Structure formats: structure tokens, C-alpha cells
Amino acid sequence: MGGVRELAVPFVVPGPCGVAVRDRLGHLTPRDEMVLRAVGEHQGALASRDLKARCADGLEHGADTWAARKRELTGVSSSRIAGAITKATHDQWALARRCQAAHMKTLEAGINMLRHRLSLPVGEKGTKRAAGGYRSKSEWFRKSRRLVMLEDRQAAAVADRQAGRVRVVRGGRRLFNTRHHLAQARLTEGQWRERWEAERWFIAADGESGKRFGNETIRVTPDGEVSIRLPAPLAHLANAGHGRYVLASRIAFAHRGQEWADRIAANRAVAYRIHLDTQRGRWYLTASWQRPAIPTMTLSAARARGMIGVDTNADHFAAYRLDRHGNPMGDPRRFGFDLSGTAGHRDAQLRHALTRLIHWAEQVGVAAIGIEDLDFTTEKTREKHGRRKRFRQLISGIPTGRLKARLVSMAAEHGLSMVAVDPAYTSRWGAQHWQKPLVTPRRTMSRHDAAGIAIGRRALGHPIRRRTAPPPHDRSDRAGHRTAQAGPGARGREGTRPPTTDRPPAGPSPNGTRKREPSASNTVRDAPSTQQWVQDPLMRTG
């Protein structure tokens, strides 16, 4: 299990393809809320029935069964509502299939690790690359029993996947299991029941291009008026023509409001969803639409103006700016966040850190940000780090999926691209080749800062180590240039590295004291202390 594994090639992450904005439905009358609850309950029951039928079809589902289900729903709602329900059903079934495949992958990783450790002698020590044997015979016996249990789970999961069976809970499995732990969740049975019913409601409609204001079922006019086309059994509740109900609330999207107004003015498709936040007692309307495909920047264009390498950690982003040759510029930057507390607090912390990172990237003028393509599937298993619970909690708390999604969407709004690289050995090699050389009396370097340099160099297409060719045996240049990034056509490749821009200027400081001007190193012979052309130890060709 030794040796360096093959590294994946860096690639530019595709940009976002959709937009969603939300606003509160305020000042609703009691009748408005009664109608919304009736519509949500009725269509939610239809969605549950349709999901049950879709799961029963399994892999034998086809266009005929889809059309039959849609015809059945149309008689008790409408054609457009039936289309929205069946589409949501298919999306939920496909999501369950993807989760099933991820679960099988996790089981396979745990089984392989157990088999490896059980094959080793008891007490054999492990290394950083491979886990060792178990500490005692009793632990070996317990793990052998767990191996049998995981193999049974894997066999059951494989059988379900081959048969097309999935386990889906409308409303969420976590909320469903909360019913058995109301005291820990600090909920009463009535509060849980209200939240459970609200999560199972269905008040949504897909957009239609060419229809008035981009949606025929849930229509929002440019002045913010919201109206709903009621299903056939609830048509008697309408307060407007053509079986529609107009809400007393008005909508005004503060974020992307002009973009939304332009779409509905041109009758382009906009999807809407209405939901109730039971904790706050507020109704919200979410509008979403597809954006035109953003042309992905080529890898060479992303590398033209340098790169910012970002190392993702449990409580901060460690970033370092590099020029196009892979040379670190300036000092490292850190953008901290706190992922404790509620989900809303964690999300706000993550967005704030990403906003500061993107603003700094705009200030320095780079075109792309290099990130690691992280996947902790094999690292989070208890079979590999069973006793290291804090480490498992640490890597499980890093929001890799949400981080990549948010960073890509936020960076695209500022014209920045994301370059994903293989995360293998970035921390180890970055600390080995860059941590110590960059330490100065004014700069402290951590292992995470050095990892940011390693990530940026890999995104630029350079090796992580600073020098590849050996030094010459004499003064001739027969061994070639000791550089890995500057090509023969790069101007200034033999010059010195420019001074950092964040170094404080010489002369009197604002408080009146005079600072000493920077002097040359004492190791350079006959170099006056006032000259600035003395070679920097991290020059481009060094």
C-alpha cells in the first residue's frame, strides 16, 4: 500500500446553472392562510400517493407509466399541477438512488479497511499511509463480527439496488425520527405534528415560457400580486376569475429583483414554491429560474494572471496568492469561520468567509481560485479511525459539498473561475518545500499556509517542489536552469523577485518614530545596505 498514487488532472469547475430568490408573504389574512393550508394538504396527499406508485414501479418505470400517473392526477388537480408533482417525484426517486449508491460506497470502504486490518497480526503498528492491526484479540474478535454485519448490510443494499427499491420519506427521515426523541429536540407532540405536516405539503409550480408572467399556476405580476390556480376540488374557494385565488400579500424581491422583473416581463419561465416556516410562523415564496449556460473559462486563461490557492480547514480558509510562474506573493491570508451553533449561523459564517475571500481575489486581480476536490468518504469511516473520534468529527464537520457549491456560485457573480485539484499530499509536500523557506521575522508560516501554496502551484500546472533540476557541479550551466515553472520565453526569468507590496515603507511612522530602512543580507559580500537589487532567496529562477 506504499508509493505515491497517481494524481488527477486539474480542471475548471463548471459555473452555476440556476438562481433562486426568496421573499416573505407578509400581511396574509386568516382566509389566505386557510386556503394555502388547504391547497398544500390536498396536493401533498397527491404527491405522497404518486411517490408510492413510482417506488412500486422500480426499474420497470417508463413513459407509459409516467403518462398514466399524470392522467390520474390531472382529474383531481390540473394538468400543470400533475406535471409538477410527477417531476418532483422523479427527482426525489433519483436522489434516493444516488444516496443508495453513496451508502454502498461507504460500506465497501469500511469492509475493505476491516479486511485489511484483520489480515494483519494483532498489535502490528500502522503508518500514516496504512492502518495497522488491532490492539488485542478481543478487539480483533469484535471487528470480525462487525465485518459480518457490514457484509450483510452491503448484500441487502446491492439487492435493493438491483431490484430498484429505495427508502424515501416525504418530509425527511431526520424529522420522522425526531418523533421518538421529542424531549431532546425540545418539541411537544403538537409542535412536531405541525412541522411534519408543513414539510409534507406541496405548493409549487414549474415555469412555462410563453405563458403570462412565466407561470400559469402560481402567477406573480410585476407589481408583486400573487395568485394561485386552485385545484378542481378546491375551486369553490376562488376569489377571482378562472378558479384563481389572489393573496392579500405583495412580493418585492430585494435580491435579483431586476433580473426577475426582466424575466416575467418577457414571459420567460419562472418556478415558484410557497412554504411555511413553523418555527417563525411565516409564509415564504421562493422564485427560481435557469440561467443561460455560462461559458467556462479555459484552464490556460484561468492561469494567465496567477492563482490563489485555498486550503480548507475546519475553522478557516488558508489562502496564498501566486503569480503565473508559481511564486508566492505577499503574505498568507486567513479567513476564519465558526461552524458551531444552528444551521443558519453556520451558513452565515461560511458565506461571510467566502465573501471576504472573493473580495480579496478581486483586489489582487487574479482570474481564478484553486481549491481541493475533497471527498472524505473513506476517511470518515469508524473502521479506519475508530479510536480517533475527535478527528472523525473534525473531518465530518467540514462542509465540502456545500462549500464547493457556494464558492462556485458566489465566484461566478464576480467573474472568477474555480480550478479543482487533487488533494493528495498537498499539506505534507507544502510543509516540506515551502513552510520553512518563507518564514521571516515579519512573517509566520503554518502548515496550512504552505498547503495553500501547494494547491495553487498544482492548479497552475507546476510541481509543488521549488526546484527540480540538481545544482550544477561548477559555474557552467550544463545542468540547466534550477526552476520548474518559468519557461525560456518568460521575460524577467533571470531577474530578481520584486519586493512585496505589503512591506511597510521606510521613513517616519505615523506616531513620529523613524523606522530603519531594509538592509541587504550580511551574507552578500560588498553589498551596500541601501541597494535594493540584492538577490532574494525566492527569486523566480532559483
Side-chain angles (χ1 to χ4, degrees), residues 520-528 531 533-536:
S521 173
N522 294 331
T523 60
V524 181
R525 184 176 299 174
D526 300 331
Q531 291 186 355
W533 51 263
V534 179
Q535 178 176 338
D536 192 289

Side-chain angles (χ1 to χ4, degrees), residues 4-5 7 129 424-435 447 450-451 454 458 464-465:
V4 178
R5 69 172 178 85
L7 303 179
R129 298 183 180 180
Y425 316 111
T426 52
S427 297
R428 185 186 310 173
W429 290 352
Q432 178 182 354
H433 297 289
W434 290 100
Q435 184 175 3
R447 188 182 182 91
R458 185 170 287 176
I464 293 179
R465 63 178 300 174

Side-chain angles (χ1 to χ4, degrees), residues 60 133 164 202 307 309 328 335 359 383 421 435:
E60 298 180 358
F202 187 92
M307 189 81 60
F335 306 93
H359 287 173
E383 281 68 39
V421 301
Q435 184 175 3

Side-chain angles (χ1 to χ4, degrees), residues 106 109-110 376-386 392:
T106 303
F376 293 131
T377 302
T378 59
E379 300 295 331
K380 290 187 291 188
T381 58
R382 55 184 287 189
E383 281 68 39
K384 184 173 183 180
H385 305 287
R392 288 165 49 200

Side-chain angles (χ1 to χ4, degrees), residues 13-16 294 307-312 317-319 335 337 347 350-361 367-374 399-421 455:
V13 182
I294 300 177
M307 189 81 60
I308 289 180
V310 179
D311 180 48
T312 305
F317 299 128
F335 306 93
F337 49 83
D347 189 64
L350 194 62
R351 284 188 283 107
H352 182 55
L354 293 178
T355 299
R356 289 184 290 148
L357 171 62
I358 291 173
H359 287 173
W360 179 55
I369 299 175
I371 60 174
E372 294 175 299
D373 191 11
L374 294 173
T400 56
R402 183 178 300 179
L403 167 64
K404 288 186 287 187
R406 281 205 173 276
L407 185 55
V408 168
S409 60
M410 294 174 65
E413 298 301 321
H414 296 267
L416 298 173
S417 297
M418 308 304 304
V419 179
V421 301
I455 294 168

